[in-house]
Amino acid sequence: MGLLSEGSPLSWEETKKWCDHVRKHGVQQFIHQWNKLKDTCKPELKWGDEVEYMLVAFKHEEEEAKLLLKAGPVLDALQEMEKTKPDDHPTTWRPEYAAYMVEGTPGKPYGGLLAHFNNVEANMRLRREEVIKLLNKNETALSLTAFPRTGCLNFSEPPHKATPEAGPKEGASRSLFYPDEVIFQGHPRFKTLTRNIRHRRKEKVIINIPVFKDTKTKEPFIEDFSVLGDDGEAARAAKPDHIYMDCMGFGMGCSCLQMTFQACNIAEARSLYDQLTPLTPIFLALSAASPIHRGFLSDIDCRWNIISSSVDCRTREERGLEPLKENKFRIQKSRYASTDSYLSPCGEKYNDIELVMDKDIYKTLINAGIDHLLAQHIAHLFIRDPVALFSEKIHQSDTDETDHFENLQSTNWQTMRFKPPPPNSGIGWRVEFRPVEVQLTDFENAAFVVFIVLMTRVILSFNLDFLIPISKVDENMETSQKKDAAVNGKFWFKKDPFTRETPPECATKCKNRCRTVSECMEDEYRLMTADEIINGSADFPGLVELINMYLDNNIECDVDTRCTILQYVKLIKARASGELKTTAKWMRDFVTSHPDYKQDSIVSEKINYDLIKLADQITRGEKECPELIFCHNTRSTDNIPRAMEKSEEQLISKKKMSKSNGVDV
Ligand code: ADP
Ligand code: MG
Ligand code: MG
Ligand code: MG
Ligand code: MG
């Protein structure tokens, strides 16, 4: 998660008065940092992952599994090490949206050496061990994208009652299903976001996802919410044949896997941001892990659109349902959505969706010397209002602080995030890859992380071009969330990634040779399955082949590392070919073949218990699951300090060597 400012949160009514102030100073803060840091150069490719865990309690006698609301005390203990040894801790822990969640990252980012790939899984294992050590015998930490029975009666431990009632003492979410106690209370940000998003929107958020229609599913599938205290809002909002959900917790209470990469400089960061964008739907589909919501099998495999709706603060005017009166803009997407524009010059011609932006902010940025593509990106982020503001943070320095900028930046949740350096940090320009659903095991999570990190190296080394019109990436985002998209989905993808052209030349060429630029671009991409994209086809090399080419040309790669990488790549290959199931498919099949399942889409307490228990055993390596993961034995057994040492030793000896050879590393 992004910014975690301390202080007293303002209500939406109060926050509203400061929106222009936050934007005005936020943009000044950005301009100041940009001026100061636009020419910084950080040659080392640093990177790191983030894993969100769910704490779970088993009630074995009752055969129930519950989300355990213990993040507060668990985090206090987890953060102890960071407090006592700020410069030397192997793991870093942060709060997340729900009181059953914690987020863990490596203590420090990994560096440019391939040997660091050996550390990833070991560090993930260490993180999980750290959490589990703090839990009781019947409790566990799972990296589960969505808990199947979130929002069902008594889904948490301890159980709480939802408070949908309106009135002076109303709760933050007013959900029929999700008690406010389930929101993490250790920091006011989460409840404030929940309440203010709802107030800004002037109604509760609406999440409708298609239910999986089985032979005995209610027909039509319509639920009676009056028994839960619905005053009519849910009955109006819920679509027939859909699983209806009504608050932020259903989305932000999901877990994910993210990776952040530091680029050499701002231009490389912008290019990496662009090149990774077309990969986001593909890796969403391959990582699909969330087919069950609020106790029902759904017809989709991923969390993405659920989170998107769960924080959609747009009013009816902004959504185009009423003429604009109070609001300034029609806005096409939620503030949690796919990337809307490319940032590098190569991407410009592919920016084909309407980009709403704050014209004044755009002008301010242009006048400050910022180019069109970056200016429009920031001016687009800044069409949003701040939805969590703290009284102590209203008045800030434009030159030494970035909280106002971060306020808007960190509540624009997109598939990619372009991260400017924090002030006075020594950190460079970074990009974050955000679509991936978190997997059960450390092995799988390490596989996704290593694969994507390798993609960044491959893209930069071979100067690859994966860009397609951004509207096609959006189409792919919808495809990627459908049931079994990993094997059945067809995605728009670049036919020849080896032809990166400079934009002006290309533009002229296009005009000369084709009737229109868009017709010319149509020749550049075609529909492919994830299998073709990853494993290749007659006319496309496949991402794995590109990675192999890169590794074959990289003398730095030692045998241990190569062996580890091989197993990670093998997993991704098998997920794409369908040889292994996605987590979503595995869960779906578990439910539909469970003896208690009644072909009615309902995932009962007992089915949930059995699924979560098995998930825990697989996570701990106590049970094999050959449909999901093949037998593996990565070399990621080094403890972290030792593994780091090894990498560092290699770096030092390499530097020595290159010095004597007169080459630059
Ligand atoms: P956020 O929640 O804002 O995305 P986090 O701090 O939770 O950010 O996670 C950022 C990730 O980036 C962590 O894995 C961290 O190790 C990694 N990281 C930290 N510093 C750098 C850096 N200079 N370059 C790249 N990655 C970094
Ligand atoms: Mg992140
Ligand atoms: Mg997070
Ligand atoms: Mg984080
Ligand atoms: Mg999250």
Side-chain angles (χ1 to χ4, degrees):
M1 67 160 315
L3 177 79
L4 272 184
S5 301
E6 298 285 341
S8 328
L10 302 187
S11 70
W12 172 241
E13 280 309 310
E14 293 165 290
T15 304
K16 228 161 124 177
K17 300 173 200 154
W18 296 101
C19 288
D20 285 329
H21 169 91
V22 170
R23 275 188 290 264
K24 184 175 149 213
H25 291 282
V27 84
Q28 288 306 326
Q29 291 174 337
F30 176 77
I31 290 169
H32 185 82
Q33 292 302 318
W34 179 80
N35 266 321
K36 202 160 120 187
L37 299 163
K38 62 179 190 297
D39 299 320
T40 50
C41 183
K42 300 275 171 195
E44 209 188 351
L45 255 169
K46 288 189 179 176
W47 53 278
D49 67 85
E50 296 167 67
V51 178
E52 292 168 351
Y53 302 86
M54 291 192 188
L55 310 180
V56 169
F58 289 107
K59 300 172 93 175
H60 293 299
E61 298 218 322
E62 291 93 335
E63 298 193 299
E64 291 176 359
K66 306 287 178 187
L67 285 170
L68 176 65
L69 309 184
K70 232 189 191 178
V74 166
L75 261 175
D76 287 343
L78 287 171
Q79 290 178 326
E80 215 24 63
M81 177 101 87
E82 192 183 344
K83 273 190 203 132
T84 48
K85 290 185 176 176
D87 298 321
D88 180 28
H89 46 94
T91 59
T92 303
W93 293 98
R94 292 290 174 265
E96 252 301 331
Y97 181 82
Y100 55 79
M101 290 172 95
V102 290
E103 181 190 286
T105 62
K108 55 178 176 183
Y110 302 113
L113 285 175
L114 288 175
H116 281 285
F117 290 148
N118 286 314
N119 304 153
V120 183
E121 189 183 339
N123 188 266
M124 286 177 176
R125 191 152 54 226
L126 176 72
R127 273 179 251 167
R128 197 186 297 276
E129 283 164 10
E130 285 186 9
V131 186
I132 288 179
K133 232 190 282 169
L134 296 166
L135 300 173
N136 297 331
K137 197 168 121 261
N138 292 335
E139 299 169 352
T140 194
L142 295 181
S143 34
L144 204 59
T145 296
F147 185 75
R149 284 182 59 87
T150 299
C152 297
L153 192 67
N154 299 336
F155 71 98
S156 69
E157 177 59 34
H160 289 283
K161 281 210 164 60
T163 51
E165 300 78 22
K169 284 194 186 151
E170 70 180 28
S173 72
R174 287 196 51 213
S175 170
L176 300 174
F177 320 100
Y178 201 96
D180 277 0
E181 287 86 347
V182 179
I183 304 171
F184 183 71
Q185 316 278 326
H187 193 284
R189 171 183 166 92
F190 306 107
K191 252 173 107 167
T192 307
L193 280 171
T194 309
R195 187 194 58 210
N196 287 1
I197 284 173
R198 180 168 63 79
H199 282 167
R200 186 186 189 286
R201 183 181 161 100
K202 298 186 179 134
E203 59 178 23
K204 293 204 288 188
V205 295
I206 299 171
I207 307 160
N208 277 305
I209 57 162
V211 70
F212 167 68
K213 282 289 201 112
D214 209 340
T215 51
K216 292 183 185 139
T217 308
K218 262 201 317 194
E219 175 67 41
F221 177 84
I222 296 174
E223 293 178 90
D224 176 11
F225 299 115
S226 64
V227 289
L228 298 173
D230 176 33
D231 59 5
E233 186 171 351
R236 279 190 304 277
K239 282 197 209 162
D241 293 332
H242 284 68
I243 305 164
Y244 164 72
M245 293 167 275
D246 67 347
C247 72
M248 186 166 168
F250 284 104
M252 284 296 179
C254 290
S255 293
C256 69
L257 174 66
Q258 298 172 334
M259 299 125 234
T260 297
F261 314 99
Q262 177 173 283
C264 288
N265 53 44
I266 187 169
E268 189 180 273
R270 292 168 67 160
S271 177
L272 211 45
Y273 177 96
D274 286 4
Q275 294 301 332
L276 289 173
T277 293
L279 301 183
T280 53
I282 316 304
F283 285 90
L284 179 58
L286 292 172
S287 64
S290 47
I292 311 167
H293 297 276
R294 201 163 60 68
F296 296 105
L297 267 178
S298 80
D299 218 23
I300 56 163
D301 276 357
C302 300
R303 78 198 189 289
W304 189 267
N305 281 349
I306 297 171
I307 314 189
S308 180
S309 310
S310 85
V311 290
D312 189 355
C313 66
R314 291 172 303 159
T315 62
R316 291 179 63 81
E317 292 179 19
E318 288 169 331
R319 280 178 281 147
L321 301 171
E322 283 172 18
L324 284 176
K325 279 204 309 270
E326 254 180 64
N327 296 121
K328 246 164 112 178
F329 312 107
R330 277 278 156 78
I331 305 177
Q332 283 72 22
K333 293 180 189 173
S334 161
R335 56 200 299 157
Y336 188 110
S338 49
T339 296
D340 286 311
S341 71
Y342 292 117
L343 299 182
S344 68
C346 289
E348 183 153 21
K349 68 170 174 167
Y350 299 105
N351 280 337
D352 66 337
I353 58 177
E354 191 192 340
L355 200 68
V356 190
M357 55 178 144
D358 187 312
K359 295 263 160 32
D360 296 333
I361 287 183
Y362 176 79
K363 262 190 232 143
T364 308
L365 289 157
I366 293 287
N367 290 340
I370 293 172
D371 62 279
H372 164 67
L373 288 169
L374 186 54
Q376 73 170 6
H377 169 72
I378 302 292
H380 177 58
L381 300 183
F382 275 57
I383 58 172
R384 311 288 170 173
D385 283 340
V387 268
L389 186 63
F390 298 90
S391 55
E392 294 82 345
K393 291 278 174 180
I394 293 175
H395 299 289
Q396 286 179 35
S397 154
D398 287 348
T399 52
D400 302 327
E401 286 169 288
T402 52
D403 276 31
H404 286 327
F405 171 74
E406 283 298 332
N407 189 324
L408 292 163
Q409 158 95 337
S410 72
T411 53
N412 266 279
W413 297 276
Q414 278 142 24
T415 32
M416 294 293 304
R417 185 176 281 163
F418 179 66
K419 293 175 162 178
N424 312 317
S425 63
I427 295 174
W429 295 87
R430 294 149 305 150
V431 296
E432 184 181 21
F433 191 80
R434 304 165 48 82
V436 179
E437 306 229 320
V438 74
Q439 311 292 298
L440 288 179
T441 63
D442 302 323
F443 170 72
E444 295 163 279
N445 287 320
F448 275 95
V449 170
V450 167
F451 199 98
I452 304 294
V453 180
L454 280 166
M455 282 315 301
T456 65
R457 310 294 172 89
V458 168
I459 288 167
L460 296 175
S461 307
F462 299 144
N463 200 25
L464 296 183
D465 181 6
F466 289 118
L467 303 187
I468 57 172
I470 203 123
S471 62
K472 294 290 170 200
V473 181
D474 272 358
E475 249 182 71
N476 288 348
M477 276 302 285
E478 291 309 311
T479 306
S480 66
Q481 301 176 57
K482 295 209 171 104
K483 182 158 51 113
D484 297 329
V487 285
N488 297 333
K490 291 217 160 185
F491 305 91
W492 297 110
F493 210 76
K494 192 86 160 197
K495 284 196 259 184
D496 180 4
F498 287 103
T499 52
R500 192 189 278 200
E501 292 169 289
T502 50
E505 272 172 26
C506 176
T508 354
K509 218 159 87 186
C510 289
K511 274 189 200 114
N512 293 343
R513 286 201 199 147
C514 314
R515 270 164 302 169
T516 62
V517 176
S518 69
E519 262 180 35
C520 173
M521 283 194 305
E522 270 166 33
D523 285 340
E524 293 180 0
Y525 52 87
R526 67 172 173 89
L527 284 170
M528 297 188 200
T529 60
D531 187 30
E532 286 176 89
I533 295 170
I534 300 291
N535 298 318
S537 64
D539 60 350
F540 182 75
L543 303 187
V544 167
E545 182 55 29
L546 300 174
I547 287 178
N548 287 336
M549 277 165 57
Y550 170 77
L551 292 173
D552 290 342
N553 286 317
N554 199 311
I555 41 150
E556 184 216 299
C557 197
D558 62 286
V559 180
D560 273 7
T561 308
R562 187 73 193 245
C563 166
T564 302
I565 293 174
L566 200 73
Q567 298 182 61
Y568 295 150
V569 170
K570 195 173 148 195
L571 180 87
I572 306 296
K573 272 174 77 91
R575 288 278 165 87
S577 69
E579 194 189 326
L580 292 179
K581 292 178 182 176
T582 60
T583 312
K585 168 99 177 117
W586 172 76
M587 286 183 169
R588 219 174 254 296
D589 291 350
F590 179 91
V591 171
T592 51
S593 59
H594 192 284
D596 278 12
Y597 178 65
K598 300 195 175 61
Q599 286 69 51
D600 55 2
S601 319
I602 296 175
V603 180
S604 64
E605 280 281 12
K606 166 70 171 142
I607 300 175
N608 181 60
Y609 169 75
D610 288 338
L611 175 61
I612 298 298
K613 202 169 71 177
L614 180 55
D616 188 40
Q617 288 164 331
I618 294 169
T619 302
R620 291 172 189 258
E622 292 166 7
K623 267 227 169 99
E624 281 177 12
C625 185
E627 306 146 73
L628 193 61
I629 315 158
F630 54 77
C631 185
H632 58 276
N633 177 23
T634 54
R635 305 291 161 87
S636 191
T637 49
D638 273 353
N639 69 30
I640 295 311
R642 180 60 201 140
M644 286 291 189
E645 253 171 53
K646 243 186 175 168
S647 302
E648 243 110 70
E649 278 162 21
Q650 283 176 16
L651 184 64
I652 291 165
S653 67
K654 241 183 99 185
K655 273 195 178 141
K656 276 189 196 145
M657 261 170 56
S658 62
K659 244 189 199 156
S660 56
N661 297 339
V663 236
D664 239 20
V665 183

